[in-house]
């Protein structure tokens, strides 16, 4: 109507009836609480309020169009952001392969990574601070998972022992935990340490823990220097950096369960579902899946 100068001309331009357009304008005037048009003969003219609304209308319509384009891009995986939090050994193994896979096919998807240990990683998801959390649990030490989270199993990760390469037991393919009762140990994160102490108790001894670190590279350096030995998941063996360190399977065999956790409602978000699917594919290609 601003361009045509009358309700009738606007109706013809839009393909509506003149009464329908007139009713819409009256409803708009009721909503804003002031007249927007005044009649001049057979035409209409904008009031001061109408001129103000007209100036903003173009910006509003442009913003709506831009918003629709952005939403379409997100829905079609041309854009989007997924925040992932994972524990250190997953950050060094599963996450890089997943991110490379997504980037190769969907370069518009942005994946933001933070590092956290369980159970803090699960709390990040429930608080809305991340979209997907990778977590792990040990047999007999099942993690409490909030009801609002959906779990996607990824893999079972065998436990191994890190030994200095010159250790007498390093020549074996597998090492019984009971044979290491007299060793000094380097423990990991709280959850890993609790499982380790429990496993030692099952074998009839209390471990002599010399120090504790959740940094896998620090742990390797300590083992290489002869400070102690360590029990670690097999994922850690994927990035052994010290030639003086050897990894051997621990008997009796124990595996930790690794999974991805997401709010159930988030499963409907295309980018989140994509990243979750790629994590499953990467995990399935690893030994021990």
């Amino acid at each position: 109507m601003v361009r045509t100068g009358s309700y009738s001309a606007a109706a013809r331009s839009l393909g509506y009836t003149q009464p329908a357009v007139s009713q819409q304008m009256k409803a708009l005037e009721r909503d804003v609480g002031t007249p927007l048009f005044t009649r001049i003969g057979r035409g209409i003219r904008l009031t001061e309020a109408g001129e103000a609304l007209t100036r903003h209308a173009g910006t509003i319509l442009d913003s709506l169009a831009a918003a629709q384009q952005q939403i379409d891009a997100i829905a079609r995986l041309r854009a989007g952001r997924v925040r992932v939090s994972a524990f250190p050994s997953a950050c060094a193994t599963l996450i890089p392969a997943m991110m490379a896979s997504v980037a190769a096919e969907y370069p518009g998807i942005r994946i933001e990574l933070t590092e956290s240990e369980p159970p803090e990683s699960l709390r990040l998801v429930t608080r809305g601070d991340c979209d997907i959390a990778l977590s792990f649990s040990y047999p007999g030490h099942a993690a409490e998972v909030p009801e609002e989270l959906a779990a996607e199993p990824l893999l079972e990760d065998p436990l191994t022992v890190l030994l200095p390469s010159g250790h007498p037991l390093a020549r074996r393919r597998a090492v019984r935990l009971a044979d290491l009762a007299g060793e000094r140990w380097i423990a990991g994160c709280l959850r890993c340490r609790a499982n380790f102490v429990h496993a030692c108790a099952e074998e009839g001894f209390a471990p002599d823990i010399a120090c504790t670190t959740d940094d896998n590279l620090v742990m390797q350096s300590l083992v290489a220097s002869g400070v102690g030995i360590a029990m670690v998941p097999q994922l850690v063996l994927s990035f052994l950096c010290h030639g003086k360190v050897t990894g051997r399977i621990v008997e009796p065999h124990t595996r930790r369960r690794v999974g991805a956790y997401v709010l159930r409602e988030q499963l409907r978000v295309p980018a989140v579902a994509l990243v979750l699917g790629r994590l499953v594919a990467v995990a399935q290609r690893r030994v021990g899946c």
Side-chain angles (χ1 to χ4, degrees), residues 87-160:
F87 51 93
S89 57
C91 286
T93 53
L94 303 178
I95 297 298
M98 176 275 291
M99 293 180 72
S101 173
V102 172
E105 264 186 88
Y106 302 94
I109 301 297
R110 176 184 175 89
I111 299 174
E112 297 179 357
L113 175 64
T114 58
E115 187 178 290
S116 63
E117 296 277 4
E120 175 59 23
S121 54
L122 299 185
R123 288 194 286 265
L124 291 175
V125 180
T126 57
R127 291 200 305 260
D129 293 331
C130 80
D131 303 304
I132 299 173
L134 270 64
S135 183
F136 61 85
S137 62
Y138 290 99
H141 298 83
E144 292 186 8
V145 179
E147 292 183 0
E148 61 267 36
L149 297 187
E152 182 66 57
L154 295 179
L155 56 82
E156 292 191 350
D157 194 11
L159 293 185
T160 63

Side-chain angles (χ1 to χ4, degrees), residues 191-219:
R191 182 168 290 191
C192 294
R193 178 180 176 132
N195 174 74
F196 166 61
V197 171
H198 175 76
C200 292
E202 291 285 301
E203 293 299 305
F205 72 96
D208 175 14
I209 298 176
C211 52
T212 299
T213 177
D214 58 1
D215 188 317
N216 288 302
L217 294 179
V218 171
M219 183 176 288

